């Protein structure tokens, strides 16, 4: 009787069991030798990889934001999971950490097991791109909180780095170079504004707008084997203005970005056809650059060439300079 009453209240336990069954095959693909138990336990367990003298765990959590509203509207759920992993794994990467494992959280008004499977398929794909294991998660059916057909998606990533190899910006100095690696579009930020601006064109643009966030883990970890990377920034909500200076560990320095040093994906031109106040969007979107590296000037050409070999477009977009009193910690210029 109780289970039937629960179903009448809007929560279907059987659908939850079905979702878990469908999800397991995708998560299983991501399991590494460090995972100690299977899905279905009360918690995931992961042993630390060997070879670290002073291992430090680095964690990050984030969600997909209102980008998932487009996925819900057009019933395409198999890519936003990649966004969820990317938003977390790229943040962890900024401190030189290698992603180790990931957990997800899916919330909805009424659970459709096939939708849950597609969401987790995307998460699994993102984990494979990040070389991390999907070791667990939670699917919450909450009628009255979420409308039927609506979903929310968030996640949590833990990475690992040797203590003496943590990247925290302490070695950044004036005249160091800033390299920008291209984004795959809007990634997963600013979608409340995007949906408003593109509402009349959504039927033509929705597939492009669901392009998943690029995951930078593999190419950047390769670079760390060869070069001194002094600082890194993942360009998310807040765009260039907020995120690029987050790599700094010295209040006397600033990041100077030459906006003419690269050409953004054409989709960014749709933000303002007349180019009026176009620079305001560098405070909201990634504007074609999803990840920024601070490196020695002498390594710039070699790093850009290595990234090209890994099929990543990268540009010398600016430098670190000494900041004058009362100046901002970032300056956008065109030259």
């Amino acid at each position: 009787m109780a289970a039937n009453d629960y179903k009448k209240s809007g929560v279907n336990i059987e659908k939850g069991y079905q979702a878990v069954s469908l999800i397991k095959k995708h998560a299983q693909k991501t399991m590494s030798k460090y995972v100690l138990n299977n899905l279905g336990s009360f918690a995931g367990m992961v042993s630390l990889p060997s070879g670290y003298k002073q291992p430090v765990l680095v964690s990050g959590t984030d969600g997909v934001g209102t980008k998932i509203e487009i996925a819900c509207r057009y019933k395409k759920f198999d890519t936003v999971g990649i966004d969820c992993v990317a938003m977390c794994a790229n943040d962890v990467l900024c401190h030189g950490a290698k992603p180790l494992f990931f957990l997800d959280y899916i919330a909805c008004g009424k659970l459709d097991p096939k939708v849950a499977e597609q969401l987790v398929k995307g998460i699994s794909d993102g984990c494979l791109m990040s070389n991390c294991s999907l070791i667990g998660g939670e699917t919450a059916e909450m009628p009255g909180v979420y409308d039927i057909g609506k979903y929310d998606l968030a996640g949590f990533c833990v990475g690992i780095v040797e203590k003496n190899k943590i990247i925290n910006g302490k070695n950044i100095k004036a005249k160091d170079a800033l390299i920008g690696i291209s984004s795959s579009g809007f990634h997963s930020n600013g979608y409340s504004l995007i949906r408003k601006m593109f509402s009349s064109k959504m039927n033509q643009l929705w597939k492009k707008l669901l392009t998943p966030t690029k995951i930078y883990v593999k190419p950047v970890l390769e670079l760390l084997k060869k070069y001194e990377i002094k600082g890194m920034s993942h360009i998310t909500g807040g765009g260039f203005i907020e995120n690029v200076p987050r790599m700094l560990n010295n209040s006397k320095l600033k990041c100077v970005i030459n906006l003419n040093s690269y050409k953004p994906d054409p989709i960014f031109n749709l933000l303002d056809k007349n180019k009026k106040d176009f620079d305001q969007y560098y405070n909201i979107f990634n504007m074609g650059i999803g990840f920024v590296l601070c490196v020695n000037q002498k390594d710039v050409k070699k790093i850009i060439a290595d990234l090209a070999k890994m099929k990543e477009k990268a540009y010398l977009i600016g430098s670190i300079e000494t900041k004058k009193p009362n100046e901002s910690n970032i300056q956008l210029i065109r030259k």
Side-chain angles (χ1 to χ4, degrees):
M1 185 67 179
N4 191 45
D5 289 343
Y6 203 20
K7 186 175 181 179
K8 288 180 179 179
S9 73
V11 178
N12 191 323
I13 298 174
E14 287 76 18
K15 291 286 188 181
Y17 295 152
Q18 184 183 350
V20 172
S21 178
L22 293 171
I23 283 167
K24 281 186 175 181
K25 63 183 179 182
H26 298 293
Q28 197 63 40
K29 297 176 184 177
T30 72
M31 297 299 181
S32 72
K33 62 182 179 181
Y34 304 110
V35 180
L36 302 181
N37 60 338
N38 296 318
L39 291 179
S41 300
F42 286 99
M45 293 183 281
V46 178
S47 61
L48 297 183
S50 60
Y52 288 86
K53 295 180 180 179
Q54 290 184 291
V56 174
L57 297 180
V58 183
S59 62
T61 185
D62 209 337
V64 176
T66 60
K67 184 173 185 176
I68 200 167
E69 179 68 19
I70 299 175
C72 292
R73 177 176 173 179
Y74 292 96
K75 302 186 187 315
K76 181 174 173 55
F77 296 97
D78 61 340
T79 60
V80 285
I82 298 174
D83 291 284
C84 189
V85 176
M87 298 304 289
C88 301
N90 287 339
D91 280 358
V92 166
L93 177 65
C94 286
H95 294 290
K98 176 181 179 181
L100 191 59
F101 61 85
F102 189 87
L103 292 94
D104 66 75
Y105 177 79
I106 300 169
C108 61
K110 183 177 182 180
L111 180 64
D112 182 334
K114 292 184 179 179
V115 171
E117 180 189 7
Q118 288 300 295
L119 290 170
V120 175
K121 178 188 179 299
I123 294 167
S124 172
D125 290 342
C127 286
L128 291 171
M129 295 173 190
S130 306
N131 282 339
C132 68
S133 299
L134 175 58
I135 64 169
E138 172 69 8
T139 302
E141 196 172 17
M142 297 191 288
V145 176
Y146 293 93
D147 293 336
I148 293 175
K150 301 298 184 182
Y151 288 79
D152 196 10
L153 183 60
F156 180 89
C157 182
V158 171
I160 186 169
V161 64
E162 192 73 76
K163 188 174 183 179
N164 64 0
K165 293 185 179 179
I166 291 173
I167 296 174
N168 56 16
K170 66 180 182 180
N171 295 326
I172 295 176
K173 64 180 187 300
K175 304 306 179 184
D176 283 338
L178 295 172
I179 293 176
I181 309 176
S182 67
S183 67
S184 54
F186 290 109
H187 282 182
S188 192
N189 299 106
Y191 271 76
S192 295
L193 177 59
I194 288 169
R195 289 185 299 112
K196 182 178 180 180
M197 294 178 71
F198 297 159
S199 59
S200 64
K201 301 178 181 178
M202 192 60 68
N203 288 338
Q204 291 77 42
L205 292 176
W206 70 270
K207 290 183 181 179
K208 179 70 173 176
L209 293 174
L210 284 180
T211 301
T213 304
K214 187 180 289 187
I215 295 176
Y216 298 94
V217 171
K218 290 182 179 179
V220 171
L221 289 180
E222 284 299 312
L223 293 177
L224 286 171
K225 296 176 183 178
K226 297 176 61 177
Y227 304 102
E228 180 186 13
I229 308 295
K230 298 182 176 185
M232 293 189 277
S233 293
H234 180 204
I235 312 304
T236 55
F240 276 57
I241 303 296
E242 180 180 332
N243 290 290
V244 177
R246 291 171 70 181
M247 69 170 67
L248 296 175
N249 200 354
N250 186 334
S251 61
K252 296 181 180 180
L253 298 175
K254 66 179 179 180
C255 302
V256 180
I257 306 292
N258 177 14
L259 300 182
N260 288 334
S261 59
Y262 72 100
K263 290 185 178 180
D265 186 296
I267 196 168
F268 289 97
N269 293 330
L270 296 176
L271 293 171
D272 190 343
K273 289 183 178 179
N274 297 318
K275 304 296 182 183
K276 293 181 180 178
D277 300 320
F278 189 70
D279 289 358
Q280 69 176 312
Y281 295 114
Y282 288 86
N283 196 28
I284 303 171
F285 304 111
N286 67 64
M287 300 306 292
I289 297 293
F291 207 81
V292 177
L293 311 172
C294 180
V295 303
N296 292 307
Q297 286 281 356
K298 65 181 180 63
D299 294 327
V300 170
K301 290 184 179 180
K302 290 181 288 185
I303 289 173
I304 291 177
D306 281 359
L307 285 167
K309 292 176 183 177
M310 292 183 275
K311 298 182 180 180
E312 295 287 352
K313 292 182 180 179
Y315 313 88
L316 173 62
I317 63 169
S319 62
I320 302 295
E321 304 295 343
T322 301
K323 182 166 71 74
K324 297 177 182 178
N326 300 320
E327 274 191 326
S328 170
N329 56 9
I330 184 167
Q331 182 181 1
L332 305 183
I333 63 175
R334 291 186 181 276
K335 65 177 182 179

